[in-house]
Amino acid sequence: MTCRPTDFHPALRVVHWLMAAMVLAMLFIGVGMVSTTGPLYLVLLALHRPVGIAILMLVLIRLPLRLATGAPTLPADLPMLQQRIAKGTHVLLYAAMLGLPLIGWAMLSAGGYPVALTKGIALPPILPHDLALYALLREAHTVVALLFFALILVHFVAALMHGLIRRDGVLRSMTVGHAKPAVGPPTPTEKYSTTPAADDD
Amino acid sequence: MPSDKRFIIAPIALISAIVLLLVVGFAWAAGWIGGRRINGGDVIAALDYNGGKHPGYRRAHAKGLCLRGTFDANGAGAALSSAQALARGRYPVIGRFSIAGGNPLATDGRNVFHSMALILKTPDGQQWRMAMDHTPIFPVADVASFIALQRATRPAPGTGKPDPAVMKLFLAAHPEVKAFQDYMAKAVLPDSFANATYYSINAFRFTGRDGTSLVRWQFVPEAPLAGLDKKALDRLPRDWLFREMEARTAKRPSRWHLRLVVANPGDVTDKATVAWTGTHRTIDAGTLTVAAVEPEEAGACRDLNFDPTILPAGIGLSDDPLLPARSKTYSSSFTRRAGEGPGPSAIGKDLHGETVR
């Protein structure tokens, strides 16, 4: 038995779901805005930058929180390969959350654009004005975004497999959490209960 | 873990359905499936079809010259907009003179847009980017018509003029183009970049001391207007306008007055094809002084996108659908040429003593 928590810290769970909504919305906004020359282009563009920077700020809060509060152990019966894949995808998810807004910011800097968050509020450039660099980062912004979306789908499928098929409490650790056992650590029966009513996560 | 297959089929079906929904939704948002929409690449394809492919250059107004100067705001514009650029003061300006078309080495002897683009920076960290033409109106009002215009006006091989049959069909479908054609036929084609009036083309929403108003602006030159002989355009040396501007600026700076024109009730503010007629409230907001011009290789203008929707607080977009279309297309053009790497400019080429085509 380890003394690691059975659930993610409540604050981490709140940030997770908030960011899930924001990131998913941003990916749709991003591919949507570049697809059109219509009025929606500028409407979505005006949303894209402030939401992107908000995501960056949230992940800067979330990453230390996650490192400080830790993560629950994965079920012991999960094959080692799956455990490694789980760990790897989470590292990549954090890298994308951090990297995509930074690439966006850097890309606008290299393109000589003002990094306007809203009318009247602009961020300083983080790279020198360089067109070749801009071209590279602009391409990277798209590629990383598409990979991020694919990664989110993998993450989502894995979470639902844990919640609906394995019913091993992994999904619950990021949603409502587990009921606190009265005394001591959870018994195997509690942890791996197969009663559908008790394990609807 | 339930071992019974019946317990697994339903969740797997549910998971697959949600994933499918997300993927289809994403593809729809990206425009990969569903109704056809016009993206930046479509406009660029039309421009390339018209003017030929010139990798590394702006897809429109490819031939240009960088400018540097200052804008002296007299403060009168503050009535209309709270932008710092209109508060009394002197602000640095960089910009670009250009001639319409996608060919960076085209001849100046054509009856097309003469243009001035500017970036006006203020100490509050804001920018006002403008891309203006020497005509008060634009031939078309929306992006679909712009694409149709590019396709219809493609110079036919041999004659160098648009195919009359194609043009006739286009004009029948786009009667709004007539106003522009009439204007271009009658208007003086300025014989210098320095004596042309440059117009904002679109209306913009200004917010200032007097509330909110829709404004078109123009830079009115101090130099008196004189025209090129339209009948002798094919005899004009290739870089005549650019050379003239270089020679002129070496001797003395050129000046323009920024005139803000406020829409009257009933003026069309969402169609750049329609001129505003009659008397309007106008404000002289200050003086632009162009003190230096440089080839794009040496100047600061080449690697910038003069996107007219990059505006300071106090100036916003109107409902003109050309504005998002211009912004998206400029951005697509910018990204493409950034990846392709810049080529020499017509003026820069001469500077380096290279043979010109």
Side-chain angles (χ1 to χ4, degrees):
Chain A
M1 272 297 153
T2 67
C3 53
R4 291 176 73 173
T6 54
D7 301 317
F8 284 98
H9 190 278
L12 209 53
R13 281 184 256 159
V14 170
V15 181
H16 168 273
W17 288 105
L18 179 64
M19 286 192 70
M22 288 170 81
V23 165
L24 211 54
M26 269 299 271
L27 291 168
F28 278 76
I29 288 170
V31 291
M33 72 184 197
V34 298
S35 77
T36 179
T37 47
L40 215 50
Y41 169 65
L42 290 175
V43 174
L44 294 176
L45 185 63
L47 270 175
H48 195 76
R49 284 179 297 225
V51 176
I53 293 300
I55 288 173
L56 179 63
M57 290 194 299
L58 280 174
V59 77
L60 288 176
I61 297 169
R62 178 176 172 184
L63 187 57
L65 192 64
R66 161 70 182 73
L67 294 174
T69 59
T73 33
L74 286 166
D77 67 334
L78 203 65
M80 190 48 83
L81 181 68
Q82 280 189 43
Q83 300 221 15
R84 288 214 180 110
I85 291 172
K87 202 154 221 167
T89 48
H90 284 92
V91 170
L92 289 176
L93 282 166
Y94 269 96
M97 285 186 283
L98 199 61
L100 206 47
L102 279 174
I103 292 172
W105 186 352
M107 165 191 117
L108 289 179
S109 308
Y113 286 106
V115 191
L117 280 193
T118 59
K119 265 302 188 64
I121 301 174
L123 295 175
I126 52 172
L127 277 184
H129 183 193
D130 180 326
L131 225 52
L133 203 56
Y134 165 81
L136 195 73
L137 292 165
R138 177 64 192 80
E139 190 67 34
H141 199 63
T142 302
V143 172
V144 173
L146 295 180
L147 291 175
F148 195 10
F149 184 65
L151 203 59
I152 287 170
L153 289 181
V154 170
H155 176 70
F156 178 75
V157 168
L160 285 188
M161 300 258 280
H162 281 289
L164 299 177
I165 296 169
R166 284 183 55 94
R167 305 188 185 198
D168 53 9
V170 169
L171 179 58
R172 178 164 278 233
S173 70
M174 191 43 109
T175 55
V176 290
H178 294 80
K180 279 256 153 56
V183 227
T187 66
T189 2
E190 280 172 309
K191 204 172 177 187
Y192 298 119
S193 162
T194 52
T195 323
D199 243 331
D200 55 352
D201 57 6
Chain B
M1 233 177 110
S3 50
D4 194 324
K5 280 212 168 86
R6 280 173 305 168
F7 286 113
I8 297 177
I9 289 168
I12 284 182
L14 179 67
I15 296 168
S16 309
I18 299 175
V19 167
L20 189 70
L21 202 69
L22 278 170
V23 170
V24 169
F26 193 74
W28 174 81
W32 301 329
I33 54 166
R36 191 76 193 91
R37 58 186 92 136
I38 298 172
N39 62 33
D42 296 326
V43 184
I44 284 171
L47 288 164
D48 283 350
Y49 175 83
N50 186 298
K53 281 199 173 169
H54 303 281
Y57 296 92
R58 281 167 220 270
R59 267 31 181 193
H61 296 259
K63 187 179 184 184
L65 182 70
C66 294
L67 67 87
R68 269 188 294 122
T70 48
F71 178 67
D72 288 285
N74 58 26
L80 295 179
S81 168
S82 58
Q84 194 174 32
L86 295 175
R88 181 185 282 277
R90 168 170 287 194
Y91 310 106
V93 169
I94 56 169
R96 186 172 180 267
F97 291 113
S98 67
I99 296 280
N103 181 0
L105 304 175
T107 176
D108 293 350
R110 292 170 296 138
N111 192 13
V112 294
F113 290 121
H114 295 186
S115 308
M116 180 167 75
L118 301 176
I119 297 179
L120 215 156
K121 287 190 183 179
T122 44
D124 60 1
Q126 303 216 31
Q127 295 190 17
W128 184 2
R129 297 194 178 187
M130 313 175 216
M132 303 171 287
D133 293 322
H134 84 283
T135 61
I137 53 171
F138 201 66
V140 289
D142 58 68
V143 68
S145 309
F146 183 76
I147 288 178
L149 171 75
Q150 294 309 317
R151 300 195 69 84
T153 56
R154 179 196 201 184
T159 65
K161 296 229 179 316
D163 181 335
V166 177
M167 198 61 193
K168 200 177 162 193
L169 278 174
F170 169 76
L171 289 173
H174 293 274
E176 75 276 15
V177 179
K178 193 171 181 311
F180 180 80
Q181 282 189 313
D182 290 350
Y183 177 86
M184 283 302 264
K186 272 186 264 153
V188 171
L189 184 64
D191 70 354
S192 169
F193 281 112
N195 64 17
T197 300
Y198 297 99
Y199 298 86
S200 65
I201 301 293
N202 310 101
F204 292 80
R205 188 169 274 112
F206 279 47
T207 307
R209 223 167 45 222
D210 293 358
T212 295
S213 44
L214 282 150
V215 170
R216 284 178 179 176
W217 67 78
Q218 42 195 261
F219 279 87
V220 184
E222 284 187 354
L225 176 62
L228 291 169
D229 180 359
K230 287 191 193 170
K231 291 196 187 70
L233 286 179
D234 52 354
R235 292 198 295 277
L236 202 70
R238 192 194 71 171
D239 300 329
W240 196 85
L241 284 170
F242 289 87
R243 294 272 166 248
E244 192 276 340
M245 196 60 196
E246 280 186 315
R248 176 191 290 257
T249 312
K251 283 187 222 126
R252 61 189 172 278
S254 298
R255 291 195 173 80
W256 286 261
H257 290 268
L258 170 57
R259 190 184 289 164
L260 306 172
V261 181
V262 183
N264 289 332
D267 275 339
V268 175
T269 55
D270 61 355
K271 281 191 184 69
T273 46
V274 184
W276 293 354
T277 52
T279 48
H280 284 80
R281 180 187 178 195
T282 60
I283 290 177
D284 183 330
T287 308
L288 169 73
T289 304
V290 170
V293 293
E294 293 159 297
E296 292 199 277
E297 286 86 339
C301 73
R302 185 191 65 193
D303 294 349
L304 289 166
N305 173 1
F306 292 90
D307 178 342
T309 67
I310 296 177
L311 299 162
I315 301 176
L317 302 164
S318 65
D319 295 330
D320 189 334
L322 270 187
L323 284 170
R326 290 177 75 184
S327 180
K328 183 71 196 83
T329 304
Y330 288 25
S331 172
S332 296
S333 162
F334 182 72
T335 300
R336 283 175 197 225
R337 68 186 175 93
E340 293 154 356
S345 72
I347 305 306
K349 247 186 136 107
D350 291 357
L351 266 194
H352 294 102
E354 291 180 40
T355 326
V356 290
R357 273 172 274 167

